Amino acid sequence: MRKIIHVDMDAFYAAVEERDDPSLCGRPIAVGGGSARGVVMTASYAARAFGVRSAMPGARAARLCPDLVFVQPRFAVYKAVSREIRAIFARWTELVEPLSLDEAYLDVTEPLTGPAPAMIIASEIKDAIRAETGLTASAGVAVNKFLAKLASDMEKPDGLCVIRPKDAMRVLSGLPIGRFHGVGPATARRLEAAGIANGADLQALTEAEAIRRLGRQGGHFWRLAHGIDERPVETGRDRKSLSVETTFARDLNGLPALDQAVDGLAEELARRLAQAGFRATTVTLKIKSHDFRLTTRQTTLARPPDGAAVLAEAGRHLLRRAPIDSPVRLLGLGVGGITASTTQLHLPLDDTYETTDRK
Ligand code: TTP
Ligand code: MG
């Protein structure tokens, strides 16, 4: 049985701002959202009491909470704190999978510090974070990633929560389907339409029924609802590639529409790359036509792409090298390959391509 801890900092950007400016202490604060059209990145718990939330337009937040103090983000400071907490995790285990600057999974089945209950380790990590950064974190402990992440959210802020295997089914039965791993808003609507609104609805099915009614992903959701999640904790070092893809609701025709889709993928990929801290130089575009023919195009850049603009440019470049003679059902954009940190050549370095027929 594995022992997994999920650690997530409390009101991360806002907590850092409060720590560094005592005049803000206890006041409702929002990081970001101060400009005319900006959105709130996060809010302190004092501001959340007024309903202020992440991704909310600043103007709306100010209406909900007239005393709200808007603070400009300081990303360099957040990154530095993120490095500090990762260094703390590394004292207990090498198996750390960062999900973003403020969040990570740790596999502490065999901790570097010797055998110990995972809950004790989680509590020691929280103490070290508080002592060394002046910030609080919440931790969740369980036998897998999905349950550990649920647990870290249950007693926020400054929480420590364990979900034991014998309690998993009960906790999961009341969990709305939208909070299951792999369920975005569109999938949630589809599942709800199929009568699956929460964990209990999945628990009422057999695995075979879940697959028959919900398709290939049905098995994954069914297992999650039964407390089964075998996904390993993956450190950045094991990672060979990272990609994102979209299957369109309606097949796309023509370069303008495809360019726009590539731009969207580039944004998402850039965000994921930054979160994972993953750098690699080969950019791959994957195109699936309406008749399921799969084409991939690759280009190798002189240095790892460091933002959506570079990725979008590479993606558009690859799009023009592909024979697109029919409507497009799916586009994917990814990076992989060996990190080239020393080459300083002009980009693109070279192009390779392959086309596979998967009719
Ligand atoms: P979260 O961990 O989702 O939020 P949080 O740490 O502010 O609050 P808590 O975990 O206690 O609920 O995100 C971590 C940081 O990521 C957050 O401080 C700001 C940033 N962020 C954004 O910039 N935009 C967003 O939409 C979200 C959700 C987070
Ligand atoms: Mg957080």
Side-chain angles (χ1 to χ4, degrees):
M1 200 101 89
R2 293 183 297 157
K3 296 178 183 175
I4 309 295
I5 301 176
H6 178 257
V7 180
D8 187 319
M9 303 296 288
D10 302 318
F12 183 46
Y13 295 1
V16 172
E17 296 308 326
E18 269 183 65
R19 177 194 72 175
D20 293 350
D21 180 353
S23 78
L24 293 173
C25 229
R27 297 173 67 187
I29 72 171
V31 177
S35 61
R37 298 195 310 157
V39 297
V40 173
M41 292 172 178
T42 195
S44 65
Y45 278 75
R48 291 183 199 191
F50 291 85
V52 180
R53 296 282 182 274
S54 293
M56 182 180 277
R60 168 126 195 270
R63 276 198 301 278
L64 287 171
C65 178
D67 293 331
L68 191 63
V69 185
F70 288 96
V71 186
Q72 295 266 10
R74 294 179 303 149
F75 295 110
V77 182
Y78 313 145
K79 281 187 186 152
V81 174
S82 185
R83 277 196 296 274
E84 282 182 82
I85 63 172
R86 285 180 198 179
I88 290 171
F89 301 152
R91 292 175 206 159
W92 279 272
T93 175
E94 287 168 354
L95 291 175
V96 177
E97 177 179 341
L99 296 175
S100 66
L101 290 180
D102 90 321
E103 201 186 336
Y105 289 115
L106 286 62
D107 186 323
V108 294
T109 313
E110 291 172 15
L112 298 168
T113 43
M119 182 153 136
I120 300 291
I121 296 175
S123 158
E124 289 171 349
I125 288 173
K126 275 166 53 77
D127 289 347
I129 290 175
R130 187 198 301 272
E132 295 170 42
T133 70
L135 300 167
T136 63
S138 294
V141 177
V143 294
N144 62 46
K145 295 209 284 195
F146 182 53
L147 290 170
K149 189 164 162 104
L150 285 181
S152 75
D153 206 40
M154 288 171 89
E155 291 175 11
K156 256 183 178 296
D158 200 14
L160 173 52
C161 176
V162 185
I163 298 180
R164 298 183 194 290
K166 69 175 170 54
D167 299 323
M169 288 286 278
R170 184 178 47 77
V171 171
L172 291 164
S173 70
L175 192 71
I177 198 68
R179 291 196 53 199
F180 276 62
H181 170 263
V183 179
T187 308
R189 280 193 297 276
R190 183 172 67 83
L191 291 171
E192 279 159 15
I196 309 291
N198 55 36
D201 294 330
L202 283 162
Q203 289 172 356
L205 304 177
T206 65
E207 185 171 10
E209 280 168 343
I211 295 169
R212 187 168 48 75
R213 280 180 48 184
L214 309 172
R216 194 171 49 81
Q217 275 189 308
H220 174 61
F221 301 144
W222 184 89
R223 286 190 293 279
L224 292 179
H226 288 76
I228 305 164
D229 174 14
E230 306 286 358
R231 288 174 301 145
V233 170
E234 287 184 281
T235 65
R237 247 168 308 148
D238 309 335
R239 196 186 279 288
K240 301 268 190 306
S241 68
L242 204 162
S243 62
V244 297
E245 60 180 52
T246 315
T247 303
F248 305 112
R250 213 174 278 152
D251 296 342
L252 290 192
N253 270 306
L255 264 183
L258 291 166
D259 276 344
Q260 217 177 9
V262 164
D263 292 351
L265 289 170
E267 294 269 340
E268 172 70 12
L269 182 60
R271 207 171 55 76
R272 297 270 186 94
L273 289 170
Q275 279 185 352
F278 179 67
R279 290 159 62 81
T281 52
T282 299
V283 180
T284 303
L285 182 75
K286 174 169 143 188
I287 304 161
K288 194 186 272 177
S289 62
H290 76 108
D291 52 357
F292 293 93
R293 264 181 304 134
L294 191 69
T295 303
T296 62
R297 288 288 182 277
Q298 292 195 332
T299 183
T300 301
L301 307 178
R303 60 189 74 87
D306 59 358
V310 183
L311 289 166
E313 192 193 325
R316 286 174 174 229
H317 165 77
L318 293 170
L319 203 50
R320 283 157 182 77
R321 309 212 145 200
I324 300 170
D325 47 17
S326 57
V328 173
R329 176 185 167 81
L330 169 150
L331 272 187
L333 191 67
V335 299
I338 300 154
T339 306
S341 50
T342 50
T343 34
Q344 292 294 330
L345 303 171
H346 294 294
L347 59 154
L349 207 61
D350 69 303
D351 275 328
T352 56
Y353 67 87
E354 77 185 80
T355 308
T356 43
D357 216 331
R358 286 225 191 129
K359 260 196 190 153

